Amino acid sequence: MQTVDDLESVDAASASDPGAWTATLEAARERVGISGDRAAAAESGDQAAIAEAFEIGRGDHPGPAFAELGLEQRSCAGLQF
C-alpha cells in the first residue's frame, strides 16, 4: 500500500506516457484491494468468502507497461531528469 501511495504522488503529466502511468497506478490500486479482500477472507475462515476472494480471473489485466513508462531497465541508467 505504501508503495502505491508513493507512486501516486508522482504527477502523471511528468511521465513519458501519462495514460500508461495512470493505467499502471489503477492496476496497482486494484491489486492492493484484491490482496486486502483475500487477507480478510482468509482471516474470516468463511469458505464461501475465501472461494470468492481467490476466484480465478479476478483482477485479470495486463501487467504494468514498463517500456511505455521508460522503466524497462533494471538500473537507474534508465531514469531521465
Side-chain angles (χ1 to χ4, degrees), residues 33-77:
I34 290 170
S35 295
D37 292 348
R38 288 178 174 172
E43 287 177 7
S44 76
D46 180 320
Q47 294 300 312
I50 292 169
E52 182 180 340
F54 286 87
E55 181 178 13
I56 293 174
R58 183 167 182 235
D60 277 352
H61 45 72
F66 289 119
E68 293 175 25
L69 297 171
L71 301 172
E72 71 276 12
Q73 298 181 15
R74 293 181 178 252
S75 74
C76 60

